[in-house]
């Protein structure tokens, strides 16, 4: 039955995507759906794109394993949008850029900075795609016994076909549909699970768990306080630097709509993230013996309810999980492919197609080769890289006139480089001892401040490299669109 | 009298004999001159477009207002979010407190914090749009 659910989701995604074919004729259609997407669609699409396997499966798994400290993950993934809203959303939309490299070029007038940003976008995208494919393999093995690579391959294929056939327009509708599917798929089983829990006499966690697992900073992981703060920093500041999230803001008609969309996104995410904590908590009661805790969400209905109803609920949850893999992977693939096509290949629709294949194949290979870490942890690492590279670029670029080309480049290289190094050390799993492991597994607490300091310090040392048009760019970024002002003639290269 | 006109009086007066011109000059020195001085030469949008000193002042005022607002929200957020782990660490009794049967850390982190985010975001959007309206009124005032 769960397999049927997976097939239904896959076919639905392909069919809905197919509706976009008619409208995506020009390059501009491919990239941002010609900017005709309404705010609620847009917010649902952002939610659908953002809620990945890590949110749907991973958070509950980590809560089951490590307790209350892991609640900071969903809190940070939501709160990141508040930071994005106040610091970035409207100016970024007003910049008129389609991608992060576009923004870097518009603000700093340098092709070197643009290319560096492109490489970082591709790295972050791959790092984020890898755990999606890994968990797809895990879920498909759980329900059919298929080999671990099969699920990843299935998701990669569907995403490639979908992106190639429709571009972003189709993806917007697919994404919006997937948000509501994921919300329903998590909410309906939860109601039944809570009823079963009450019928079972509403038990609480054991006395030992109440003392450690259920209380903050006591047990779970080593160096809890450091890890908690590093996690908070990575998630709150990393959200703004995720390539597939930012591309969505360009589909708003203006800066004001971009702000309002973000507000709706915050509400949608808040509603969703109320649930994984309850799954994690129920998991501690009924499924504490799991070794791969990422599957806790899928195993609970069978253990607590069983029978046909249990099967049905598992099928619904599996459908939601596949929706999560498909939506996040699609969004990331569009962004990564767009950047590869423009900055590494010649540009145009043909390059976009080749780039789509590159965007999917590399993380698929990584998924098979790298060691299996909890999905939410790997996604957390992608946030750390984004927070250490694009967060300083965006915040300083938008609010500080004295940011120089050299400063931005140095900050991107040092911050992004250090974070990528830490990530590589963590996913290849070279053994380190004690505090070093914590520093590498949660690098944001030291890489983010270093990136900011380098960007500011080098900018002060190279005052002659302030871009010539900075005043005009500031007008473009910050003034409301209804004012008749000269905003410069820069246009993104993809239009 | 429009700002373009000088204390010399109306064109008709200038064409007349000196006797009439002297009378006109006497009235012109006083009030219209100050009214002219108070008016800007261009609309503020043009000052911004031409990047004059005045245009820069307008832009800096907008940037500063919006940045202060953003910084305020971020500071409150940092205090709440950064303070919670510290609070739980320094006051262990808080970990035991229960809110409607749910331990306090769970009630806050798995529930209450989300509506708080939405409320903060809503207040921010309202204020940011208000700031932009004020800027637009300032710049478009003739």
């Amino acid at each position: 039955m769960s397999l049927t659910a997976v097939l239904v989701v896959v076919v639905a995604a392909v069919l809905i995507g197919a509706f976009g074919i008619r409208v995506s004729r020009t390059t501009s259609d491919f990239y941002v759906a010609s900017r005709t997407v309404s705010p609620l669609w847009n917010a649902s699409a952002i939610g659908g794109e953002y809620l990945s396997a890590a949110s749907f499966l991973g958070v509950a798994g980590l809560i089951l394993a490590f307790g209350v400290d892991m609640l900071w993950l969903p809190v940070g993934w939501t709160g990141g949008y508040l930071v994005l809203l106040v610091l970035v959303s409207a100016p970024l939309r007003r910049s008129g850029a389609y991608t992060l490299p576009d923004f870097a070029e518009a603000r700093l007038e340098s092709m070197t900075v643009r290319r560096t940003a492109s490489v970082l976008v591709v790295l972050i995208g791959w790092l984020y795609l890898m755990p999606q494919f890994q968990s797809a393999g895990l879920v498909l093995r759980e329900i059919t016994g298929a080999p671990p690579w099969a699920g990843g391959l299935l998701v990669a294929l569907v995403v490639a076909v979908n992106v190639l056939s429709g571009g972003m327009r189709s993806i917007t509708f697919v994404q919006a549909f997937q948000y509501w599917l994921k919300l329903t798929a998590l909410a309906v089983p939860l109601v039944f699970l809570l009823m079963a829990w009450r019928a079972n006499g509403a038990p609480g966690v054991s006395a030992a768990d109440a003392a450690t697992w259920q209380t903050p900073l006591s047990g779970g992981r080593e160096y809890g306080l450091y890890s908690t703060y590093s996690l908070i920093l990575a998630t709150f500041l990393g959200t703004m630097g995720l390539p597939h999230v930012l591309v969505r803001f360009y589909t708003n008609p203006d800066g004001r709509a971009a702000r309002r969309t973000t507000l709706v996104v915050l509400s949608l995410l808040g509603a969703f993230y109320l649930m994984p904590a309850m799954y994690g908590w129920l998991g501690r009661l009924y499924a504490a013996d799991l070794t791969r805790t990422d599957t806790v969400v899928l195993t609970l209905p069978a253990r607590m309810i069983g029978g046909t109803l249990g099967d049905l609920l598992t099928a619904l949850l599996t459908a939601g999980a596949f929706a999560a893999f498909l939506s996040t992977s699609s969004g990331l693939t569009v962004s990564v492919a767009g950047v590869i096509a423009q900055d590494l290949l010649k540009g145009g629709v043909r390059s976009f197609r080749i780039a789509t294949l590159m965007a999917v194949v590399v993380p698929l290979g990584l998924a098979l080769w790298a060691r299996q870490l909890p999905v939410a942890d790997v996604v957390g690492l992608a946030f750390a890289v984004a927070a250490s590279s694009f967060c300083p670029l965006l915040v300083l670029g938008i609010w500080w006139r004295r940011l120089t080309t050299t400063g931005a480049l140095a900050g991107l290289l040092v911050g992004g480089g250090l974070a990528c190094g830490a990530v590589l050390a963590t996913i290849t799993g070279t053994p380190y001892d004690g505090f070093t492991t914590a520093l590498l597994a949660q690098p944001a607490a030291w890489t983010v401040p270093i990136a900011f300091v380098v960007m500011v310090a080098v900018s002060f040392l190279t005052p002659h490299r302030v871009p010539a048009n900075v005043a005009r760019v500031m007008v473009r970024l910050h003034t409301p669109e209804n004012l008749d002002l000269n905003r410069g003639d820069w246009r993104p290269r993809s239009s | 009298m429009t700002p373009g006109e000088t204390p010399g009086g109306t064109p008709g007066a200038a064409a007349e004999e000196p006797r009439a011109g002297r009378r006109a000059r006497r009235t012109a020195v006083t009030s219209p001159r100050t009214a002219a001085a108070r008016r800007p030469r261009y609309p503020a949008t043009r000052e911004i477009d031409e990047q004059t000193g005045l245009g820069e002042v307008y832009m800096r005022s907008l940037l500063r207002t919006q940045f202060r607002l953003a910084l305020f929200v971020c500071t409150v957020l940092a205090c709440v979010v950064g303070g919670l782990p510290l609070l739980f660490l320094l006051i262990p009794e808080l970990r035991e407190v229960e809110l409607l049967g749910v331990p306090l850390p769970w009630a806050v982190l798995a529930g209450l914090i989300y509506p708080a985010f939405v409320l903060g975001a809503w207040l921010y959007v309202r204020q940011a749009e208000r700031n932009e309206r004020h800027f637009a009124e300032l710049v478009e005032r003739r």
Side-chain angles (χ1 to χ4, degrees):
Chain A
M1 191 177 293
S2 294
L3 189 63
T4 322
V6 170
L7 291 177
V8 167
V9 170
V10 165
V11 171
V14 171
L15 280 183
I16 298 177
F19 285 116
I21 296 176
R22 275 171 297 137
V23 282
S24 57
R25 296 246 165 69
T26 64
T27 318
S28 170
D29 282 331
F30 257 84
Y31 286 113
V32 285
S34 305
R35 294 201 174 142
T36 52
V37 184
S38 84
L40 184 65
W41 272 109
N42 215 353
S44 303
I46 293 177
E49 189 147 10
Y50 189 61
L51 295 171
S52 69
S55 305
F56 198 88
L57 302 174
V59 170
L62 281 182
I63 291 171
L64 157 61
F66 301 106
V68 63
D69 290 341
M70 290 298 123
L71 285 175
W72 281 108
L73 266 174
V75 168
W77 288 339
T78 313
Y81 276 91
L82 189 52
V83 181
L84 186 149
L85 168 70
V86 303
L87 287 175
V88 174
S89 64
L92 195 81
R93 170 60 194 87
R94 287 174 177 148
S95 75
Y98 286 164
T99 63
L100 280 164
D102 276 344
F103 174 82
E105 189 197 341
R107 173 64 178 80
L108 294 156
E109 298 162 32
S110 152
M111 284 310 287
T112 320
V113 178
R114 185 191 171 103
R115 295 226 172 79
T116 314
S118 304
V119 171
L120 280 164
V121 164
V122 174
L123 289 178
I124 293 171
W126 282 345
L127 188 60
Y128 211 122
L129 276 168
M130 181 190 92
Q132 310 298 328
F133 293 158
Q134 279 183 335
S135 8
L138 189 73
V139 170
L140 205 66
R141 192 182 61 185
E142 184 80 12
I143 58 173
T144 65
W149 52 264
L153 189 66
L154 176 69
V155 169
L157 271 178
V158 174
V159 167
V161 167
N162 221 331
V163 172
L164 286 176
S165 67
M168 182 103 162
R169 161 74 116 190
S170 69
I171 295 298
T172 302
F173 292 121
V174 178
Q175 304 291 24
F177 156 76
Q178 311 244 28
Y179 170 79
W180 295 102
L181 173 60
K182 277 182 265 191
L183 191 74
T184 317
L186 214 50
V188 172
L190 187 60
V191 172
F192 284 99
L193 291 176
L194 287 176
M195 276 157 53
W197 170 72
R198 280 195 86 94
N200 197 3
V205 292
S206 68
D209 274 352
T212 56
W213 178 84
Q214 197 172 267
T215 41
L217 303 171
S218 52
R221 291 183 164 180
E222 280 184 289
Y223 306 101
L225 196 64
Y226 168 82
S227 296
T228 303
Y229 275 115
S230 199
L231 183 76
I232 289 173
L233 210 58
T235 49
F236 275 81
L237 299 181
T239 307
M240 70 174 74
L242 296 179
H244 63 306
V245 171
L246 280 197
V247 87
R248 287 266 154 231
F249 281 86
Y250 313 129
T251 51
N252 289 300
D254 57 24
R256 195 162 156 264
R259 275 199 206 107
R260 295 184 165 204
T261 301
T262 319
L263 179 58
V264 181
V265 171
L266 261 172
S267 327
L268 295 180
L269 291 183
F272 182 89
Y273 280 129
L274 294 175
M275 296 182 288
M278 292 195 235
Y279 273 96
W281 194 79
L282 287 173
R284 191 69 180 185
L285 292 178
Y286 294 97
D289 56 304
L290 283 180
T291 45
R292 286 291 321 229
T293 55
D294 277 344
T295 57
V296 59
V297 169
L298 302 179
T299 46
L300 277 180
R303 293 199 181 198
M304 291 177 66
I305 298 169
T308 317
L309 182 60
D311 281 351
L312 270 173
L313 295 177
T314 310
L316 187 57
L317 284 165
T318 316
F322 262 80
F325 305 143
L326 287 175
S327 54
T328 305
S329 311
S330 303
L332 281 162
T333 305
V334 171
S335 314
V336 172
V339 166
I340 295 180
Q342 271 180 64
D343 292 325
L344 307 179
L345 304 173
K346 288 177 302 192
V349 173
R350 199 184 129 77
S351 292
F352 186 77
R353 295 195 165 137
I354 301 169
T356 304
L357 294 181
M358 288 171 67
V360 169
V361 169
V362 174
L364 191 61
L366 272 177
L368 303 179
W369 165 78
R371 74 189 174 117
Q372 286 265 345
L373 287 164
V375 52
D377 275 347
V378 184
V379 166
L381 288 173
F383 274 80
V385 177
S388 326
S389 51
F390 287 123
C391 171
L393 179 75
L394 286 167
V395 171
L396 295 176
I398 287 171
W399 298 104
W400 196 46
R401 291 158 186 264
R402 288 156 79 185
L403 177 69
T404 67
T405 310
T406 326
L409 190 64
L412 282 181
L413 288 176
V414 172
L418 286 174
C420 282
V423 166
L424 211 61
T426 304
I427 60 174
T428 52
T430 323
Y432 299 98
D433 55 321
F435 195 50
T436 318
T437 314
L439 284 178
L440 292 175
Q442 294 289 351
W446 52 280
T447 53
V448 173
I450 289 178
F452 268 100
V453 166
V454 167
M455 223 176 253
V456 172
V458 176
S459 291
F460 273 129
L461 292 176
T462 54
H464 56 285
R465 298 293 305 275
V466 172
N469 274 329
V470 62
R472 186 79 69 216
V473 175
M474 285 298 174
V475 172
R476 172 197 277 264
L477 292 179
H478 292 282
T479 53
E481 284 87 346
N482 55 6
L483 291 178
D484 180 26
L485 287 169
N486 178 359
R487 297 181 161 83
D489 52 6
W490 181 85
R491 289 282 172 276
R493 296 201 301 160
S494 40
S495 60
Chain B
M1 187 181 263
T2 60
E5 286 177 65
T6 51
T10 61
E16 274 182 40
E17 285 304 298
R19 186 168 45 100
R22 197 166 59 225
R23 206 192 307 144
R25 201 181 310 140
R26 207 184 297 146
T27 56
V29 179
T30 55
S31 71
R33 179 70 175 161
T34 52
R38 252 187 268 122
R39 292 166 184 242
R41 282 181 307 153
Y42 310 123
T45 48
R46 199 163 148 196
E47 300 277 356
I48 294 172
D49 282 350
E50 293 176 2
Q51 296 178 16
T52 60
L54 184 57
E56 283 296 285
V57 170
Y58 279 121
M59 279 311 297
R60 273 178 208 281
S61 84
L62 173 69
L63 246 84
R64 192 171 302 133
T65 322
Q66 296 289 49
F67 186 63
R68 273 195 195 144
L69 175 62
L71 209 61
F72 173 71
V73 176
C74 287
T75 312
V76 173
L77 184 69
C79 289
V80 171
V81 164
L84 280 174
L86 217 57
L87 211 61
F88 292 139
L89 183 78
L90 298 180
I91 314 174
E93 299 82 51
L94 275 183
R95 306 179 191 180
E96 316 294 328
V97 177
E98 292 206 346
L99 203 72
L100 300 173
V102 182
L104 186 68
W106 286 75
V108 171
L109 293 181
L112 297 175
I113 201 161
Y114 295 108
F117 282 159
V118 176
L119 182 71
W122 182 70
L123 290 173
Y124 166 80
V125 169
R126 215 178 53 153
Q127 189 59 42
E129 288 185 356
R130 196 175 290 164
N131 290 347
E132 279 177 359
R133 264 200 308 281
H134 286 170
F135 178 76
E137 280 162 17
L138 186 74
V139 166
E140 287 184 326
R141 194 176 56 192
R142 295 288 149 103

